[in-house]
Amino acid sequence: MLVILMNTQKPDDIANRIEILRDEIHAHNYRYHVLDAPTISDAEYDRLFQELKNLEAEHPEFQSLDSPTQRVGAAPKKEFPAVAHSIPMLSLDNAFSVDSAKDFDKRIRIRLKTEAFITYACEPKIDGLAVSLVYEQGRLISGVTRGDGVSGEQITENLRTISTIPLKLKPPFPDVLEVRGEVFMPKAGFKALNEKNALLGEKLFVNPRNAAAGSLRQLDSSITAKRPLSFFAYGIARMEGFSQRFSTHSENMQALKKWGFPVCAENRVVEGIEACLTYYEQLQAKREQLPFEIDGVVYKVDNIELQQQLGFVSRAPRWAIAHKFAAEEAFSELLGIEFQVGRTGTLTPVARLKPVFVGGATISNATLHNMDEIQRKDVRVGDTVVVRRAGDVIPEVASVVLEKRPSQTTHIAMPKHCPICHSDVIREKEEAAYRCMGGLFCAAQQKEAILHFSARRAMDIDGLGIKIVDQLVDKKIIQTVADLYTLSVEQLAGLERLGKKSAENLVDALAKSKETTFARFLFSLGIREVGEATAHNLANHFSDLQTLIKADELELQQITDIGPIVAAHIYYFFRQPHNLEVIQGLLKAGIHWQAPQSKSVSNSPLFGATFVLTGTLNALSREEAKEQLIALGAKISEAVSKKTSYVVVGDSPGSKLTKAQSLGVPILDQTQLLALLEHAKQAQSQ
Ligand code: IVH
């Protein structure tokens, strides 16, 4: 598209376009680097930058020294003294695809005239701010921001407040050392800072990078000192007066560690570009769990002599590239609000957005969570908003760009009546959520309840999707989950987009679902706060449904993980005549399960033990692990406490591992879990 444009455009048009792009990029640089208040997303900025780079490459006659492609960032702010960098602080070229990462490797091998694998240092691209630290005789004497790459702002006093930046080096150290690295705000610190600011009614930061930038640019360093900032070193710019010389980047990193600098633990050295791409995949999978934000990975030729042979082009080294992840945030316009009614009647405000590409997909709806969030963020229809989509997380409206607020905006109000069934909408005491009081009279709640009932982990009714449920409820063919079992092939085959064969398959799937387990049945009922683990624990504790129905709140609270709130939900669920009727209908339809074989379970050495699972299991799925443990009489809990018998740890475990370690709870890896299961099964069968 770009090529066609260029071929058909007149030179004047191209010169104009180049000028426009340069002006725009300069303005965005200033807003981003100096004001910390960007008005376009990183991805949009990258697109503008790339377009300008392409045009300049195609038309060298229009090249100019003052083009933003010839510089990095914008001029430093006035308040801090400007300092020239002894060695320019360069930037990195970006690769947005696997192909361009492979091209980077090809270019290197062509320049170095080698077919052999290149050894690369792979590192996370930390989403913070680059700084340069100068040490003389082992003492920090100067700390400077990147600024425009040639000179930056002297912010030594502020940098001194960051606990992870060493003020004195561990000997033996060089006479002079200039270290480059990234200052950033860890995710947890960012969340806490914003929560505190919200309480105090102060400005909220859009993301950890902006929070880090805002904190570093405080003229009063005592404010910086209160901000949760951290630092990773990723390069040595200058080293004088030291007996040792290092021949690779990774050796430099080792030396930095020895002198006392924090170096990211995710850094690796690999052979060849394919291994770099594997690193990229692995880090992307881990991205959510990392305690700090990253926006890609950096591949660096490890050998310093080869780096020198490769050299630089205007703003970036030829020996390194940033392979970026799909942008997780983008700007869009809030076109309107709809309220979605969930299974328990909660009304969730959903933003209708001008479609925007973010996190690798086009998004036109995003959650606004609840009314408190809307008020906290002061979101209005007509606003420009930051849309965020991270990993598998539901896209959300993260914040509003107040600078772009038009004169006409509409405040968002919770409707007084349910948009689906027109029942009253009420906010329950001390809850963030507003609920439709229509209960199962509300078609939205009926649909959600039916979809939850038929989900794979509940009654596992294959082929019953949202399109069919919509029609069944809208046409009033069914109202409750019990009605599902009265459906005939003829009734189903009459629905849109459902042929006779699919109707037969669905009736078969319904028949098959009748044979289930007690735990699945309890989970499928959709009792508030009763997830799979609680359903399993209930099924383990009560020998049959009638005893559970009769149980009072105190008895329910005897069960692992069930506190007063969950107990109340369960108790009241079974006190509603309507719910008992539905249960009766289901049992009458023939739903059944095997009664627990209590005798053999009580033989099991795991009988009564409580397990918590954390991280990704790959020896067996989490589901399989849970089912096998429960079959052996163990209980599954979501939270680690002193009462937990074992914590099973898979890959990338969460905070549960740390909690277990601090409480001294025994920790099992996957192999140990398999061995334990095997042992328990043998003991049980004896
Ligand atoms: S190396 C000459 N390594 O990314 C090479 N930079 O887009 C200089 N960054 O200005 C940079 N993590 O602020 C390097 N592991 C890493 C990095 C990293 C984050 C930032 C840094 C730099 C920008 C370039």
Side-chain angles (χ1 to χ4, degrees), residues 311-487:
F312 300 83
V313 262
S314 68
R315 75 191 263 274
R318 284 202 191 89
W319 46 263
I321 199 157
H323 188 179
K324 298 281 273 283
F325 297 138
E328 286 190 328
E329 285 187 356
F331 291 96
S332 177
E333 193 190 323
L334 182 59
L335 303 175
I337 295 283
E338 274 177 27
F339 288 88
Q340 252 171 22
V341 189
R343 181 164 58 85
T344 56
T346 317
L347 267 73
T348 307
V350 177
R352 299 278 170 248
L353 302 164
K354 203 165 143 196
V356 59
F357 194 73
V358 51
T362 302
I363 299 299
S364 43
N365 301 320
T367 182
L368 274 158
H369 301 290
N370 55 48
M371 292 309 283
D372 288 349
E373 283 282 299
I374 292 181
Q375 267 159 20
R376 191 171 67 78
K377 293 173 180 162
D378 186 20
V379 186
R380 303 184 198 167
V381 175
D383 269 336
T384 295
V385 291
V386 176
V387 184
R388 187 171 163 74
R389 180 176 181 273
D392 293 337
V393 179
I394 300 169
E396 64 162 1
V397 171
S399 59
V400 174
V401 186
L402 286 175
E403 292 79 12
K404 284 206 170 180
R405 172 163 284 170
S407 51
Q408 293 288 313
T409 51
T410 317
H411 284 272
I412 299 165
M414 176 58 71
K416 297 214 162 24
H417 301 286
C418 170
I420 307 294
C421 72
H422 310 293
S423 303
D424 290 345
V425 169
I426 304 246
R427 179 176 220 175
E428 286 178 9
K429 246 197 251 152
E430 288 167 30
E431 271 202 53
Y434 285 76
R435 274 178 220 287
C436 157
M437 292 292 119
L440 287 178
F441 166 73
C442 175
Q445 291 176 66
Q446 288 170 1
K447 287 177 188 173
E448 290 294 329
I450 294 167
L451 285 169
H452 173 80
F453 180 84
S454 58
R456 194 171 53 78
R457 288 175 168 174
M459 299 299 281
D460 193 15
I461 304 170
D462 208 15
L464 188 65
I466 184 142
K467 299 241 162 67
I468 301 174
V469 174
D470 271 348
Q471 296 183 61
L472 289 170
V473 174
D474 290 344
K475 294 184 177 164
K476 299 207 172 7
I477 302 174
I478 64 171
Q479 284 182 317
T480 73
V481 292
D483 300 340
L484 280 171
Y485 292 94
T486 66
L487 289 169

Side-chain angles (χ1 to χ4, degrees), residues 664-675:
V665 173
I667 293 162
L668 301 177
D669 65 20
Q670 303 186 52
T671 327
Q672 288 168 319
L673 171 69
L674 289 180

